[in-house]
Amino acid sequence: MKGTISYTSDVLLIEGGKRLRGSVRVSGSKNASLPILFATLLTKEPCTIYNVPDLLDTKTAFELLEHLGASTFYRASEAEVDPSGVHVYEAPHEVVRRMRASVLVMGPLLARFGRAVVSMPGGCSIGVRSIDQHLKVFERAGASISLKHGYVDMSIRRIRPVEYTFEVITVTGTENALMFLSGCEGRSILRNIALEPEVMDLVEVLKKMGAHIEIEDRTAIIRGSKDLKGFVHEVIPDRIEAGTLAVAGFITGGDVVLEGLRVEHMGSVLEKLRDAGAVVDVLDLSRIRVRSSNSIRPLSIATAEYPGFPTDMQAQFMTACCLAEGVSEITENIFENRFQHVAELQRMGADIHVRGRTAFVRGVERLYGAEVYSTDLRASASLVLAGLVAEGQTLVRDIFHLDRGYERLEEKLKKLGALIERAPLKKS
Ligand code: EPU
């Protein structure tokens, strides 16, 4: 899968007011696919990964793997990666700039080559997002790390077993550390790790590759190996896509069945949907039905690490709160700048005041269609949801953000009856 990726600058046109009905299948998880794709760098044997969503971010991951010397094949959600030819240990700025999760090559490359040179990701629209915790684990293992010309340059000769307690709970930090330590001989201990389902899916893969990993509470004991094997794995469903579609069904006054998800991963999201007044029936372990009652009740939400309420669902629930009967309080505890959708929702008539990390959302009678801009992935999703319930037409611009993490969202919404079209950007 060679070639460069150009961002689409398509727009979405949405005519609000349709109740969503019907059933739709949830795609594979973006945030589980990315670390699993990069885990292939730990072996020289071929790997097969099922249920990989077709997204800008997964395309970028394939592009990076190819750049490093792997050969990749992707069709209809099935990925094959042959990492035997990997000989490059540098991740260029041009790729890391487009996708922060590219830093996940650090751990595998350092384990495989004793060297990794990766562009420093820098800030991004949702916050500063340091990678100090990733680097501290590598440092504890004996890596020398320098920052030159915007690149983190790491090398390691003798690898020491690591005992490290994360100072903050970090998803990709935990993943990078787990991949690195799985690819090194010795027994290491990580405390205060992230327990997101995406992290656990990676753990399953690392075990299939031959690493021994035991997890109890937030502690992982890892016994790695220099000789990891290839694997076959099916990625877990995307709980954030599932949550987004569930909110869509609920706020449009609809009745939707979501298939192919894992109910066990959806606890806090389903709880808040029910608090808001949704009727959520668990049909079986992989299917839910979401219906609306007559009104939306205000919510109190505070984002937290799993199993708490996910920051990746905060923006979508804010859209729901815009139409609630009363005042909702939404506190963002994970990222310091993840309220950029507020200004756009206000342009659609929302009544939102932000004080520090908390947004106070007073429900309004209706939202009005407008031209709005996506600022990041989940913010874009919240605007699409707002468009579905707004009076009149909404035009969502810069939807390459949406395409990074949702697999043909507009097609799924259309299947449920939404009036939504993708159109090429009209140049003014
Ligand atoms: N942090 C540090 N130091 C570090 C690492 C993180 O201070 O070394 C801080 C961050 O600045 C942030 C907090 O810790 O305030 C949590 O960040 P975390 O590292 O957990 O986030 P991430 O690993 O960069 C992943 C997801 C995000 C998701 C967060 C939180 C991937 C590829 N990305 O990011 O997904 O929001 O965990 O759950 O898994 C998205 O899909 O839209 C998205 C942004």
Side-chain angles (χ1 to χ4, degrees):
M1 186 184 272
K2 291 231 154 50
T4 38
I5 295 152
S6 57
Y7 279 147
T8 158
S9 44
D10 294 355
V11 300
L12 283 180
L13 279 169
I14 308 163
E15 192 68 46
K18 286 286 280 188
R19 287 170 190 264
L20 300 192
R21 282 178 196 285
S23 65
V24 73
R25 199 165 186 83
V26 173
S27 297
S29 159
K30 165 180 87 81
N31 288 347
S33 296
L34 297 175
I36 290 171
L37 284 168
F38 294 133
T40 62
L41 295 167
L42 286 163
T43 178
K44 291 184 177 146
E45 296 180 7
C47 305
T48 304
I49 313 166
Y50 299 111
N51 209 25
V52 176
D54 186 8
L55 308 168
L56 270 185
D57 273 8
T58 47
K59 287 196 175 83
T60 305
F62 289 122
E63 194 188 331
L64 181 52
L65 288 170
E66 294 260 350
H67 168 85
L68 299 172
S71 51
T72 67
F73 175 80
Y74 178 71
R75 199 177 59 196
S77 80
E78 181 182 330
E80 276 167 36
V81 181
D82 177 355
S84 57
V86 171
H87 60 285
V88 176
Y89 49 72
E90 181 173 324
H93 177 61
E94 195 277 319
V95 181
V96 182
R97 182 179 58 80
R98 277 188 273 145
M99 185 178 76
R100 275 186 60 86
S102 307
V103 299
L104 285 167
V105 299
M106 281 179 175
L109 291 178
L110 194 61
R112 180 157 169 177
F113 295 107
R115 183 94 195 268
V117 181
V118 176
S119 173
M120 190 73 183
C124 76
S125 66
I126 62 175
V128 177
R129 299 180 82 181
S130 153
I131 53 162
D132 61 311
Q133 298 300 304
H134 306 227
L135 301 185
K136 280 187 182 170
V137 174
F138 305 139
E139 224 160 25
R140 287 285 166 99
S144 48
I145 302 178
S146 60
L147 182 65
K148 284 185 209 133
H149 309 297
Y151 280 76
V152 186
D153 189 338
M154 297 184 287
S155 55
I156 193 160
R157 287 230 176 91
R158 275 200 51 235
I159 299 171
R160 295 191 295 262
V162 171
E163 200 168 332
Y164 184 67
T165 304
F166 285 102
E167 292 156 26
V168 288
I169 296 176
T170 155
V171 172
T172 49
T174 301
E175 291 166 345
N176 236 340
L178 287 170
M179 287 191 280
F180 171 65
L181 297 170
S182 294
C184 304
E185 301 288 339
R187 180 179 181 273
S188 291
I189 302 178
L190 296 172
R191 297 198 177 83
N192 203 26
I193 61 166
L195 297 173
E196 269 64 4
E198 296 76 19
V199 179
M200 293 306 125
D201 209 26
L202 173 67
V203 167
E204 283 309 305
V205 165
L206 295 171
K207 284 180 175 170
K208 286 180 182 175
M209 296 178 85
H212 293 268
I213 303 175
E214 284 163 48
I215 294 180
E216 211 181 303
D217 300 324
R218 285 198 182 270
T219 299
I221 301 174
I222 305 117
R223 269 183 295 123
S225 158
K226 277 303 265 174
D227 197 25
L228 294 178
K229 301 188 289 277
F231 62 89
V232 177
H233 187 75
E234 180 171 339
V235 172
I236 54 169
D238 198 309
R239 63 192 168 105
I240 306 301
E241 187 205 10
T244 305
L245 291 167
V247 173
F250 169 53
I251 62 176
T252 58
D255 182 352
V256 300
V257 173
L258 305 179
E259 296 172 346
L261 47 72
R262 290 249 192 116
V263 173
E264 77 210 78
H265 295 162
M266 307 276 311
S268 58
V269 168
L270 297 188
E271 188 185 313
K272 287 296 170 195
L273 270 174
R274 288 186 175 118
D275 287 354
V279 181
V280 181
D281 299 317
V282 174
L283 304 177
D284 57 42
L285 294 180
S286 66
R287 285 188 313 144
I288 58 171
R289 179 179 180 191
V290 180
R291 281 171 290 163
S292 77
S293 54
N294 286 330
S295 62
I296 301 177
R297 288 198 290 265
L299 291 172
S300 172
I301 291 177
T303 63
E305 296 85 8
Y306 189 84
F309 185 88
T311 172
D312 291 345
M313 283 303 302
Q314 178 258 109
Q316 300 88 316
F317 269 77
M318 189 177 291
T319 299
C321 293
C322 288
L323 295 169
E325 288 178 351
V327 180
S328 300
E329 267 187 53
I330 302 179
T331 302
E332 174 53 59
N333 290 313
I334 305 295
F335 293 111
E336 66 274 22
N337 189 27
R338 214 176 193 182
F339 279 145
Q340 290 176 88
H341 40 288
V342 167
E344 300 302 295
L345 289 171
Q346 284 167 334
R347 299 190 53 248
M348 297 179 74
D351 182 350
I352 308 169
H353 295 273
V354 176
R355 229 179 294 142
R357 282 180 172 266
T358 303
F360 298 88
V361 187
R362 183 180 296 278
V364 291
E365 193 77 13
R366 61 176 56 86
L367 294 173
Y368 296 94
E371 185 174 329
V372 286
Y373 281 82
S374 308
T375 48
D376 68 76
L377 169 56
R378 308 305 170 187
S380 332
S382 75
L383 299 177
V384 171
L385 293 177
L388 294 176
V389 286
E391 189 179 298
Q393 199 177 68
T394 296
L395 189 150
V396 186
R397 288 198 184 274
D398 287 348
I399 58 159
F400 64 84
H401 289 290
L402 194 77
D403 294 336
R404 287 188 53 190
Y406 287 93
E407 192 174 44
R408 294 181 283 276
L409 183 64
E410 78 278 10
E411 283 175 27
K412 293 193 181 186
L413 291 171
K414 217 183 218 175
K415 182 166 181 274
L416 296 173
L419 295 174
I420 180 167
E421 289 295 337
R422 178 183 287 259
L425 177 76
K426 282 201 198 92
K427 298 235 161 55
S428 52

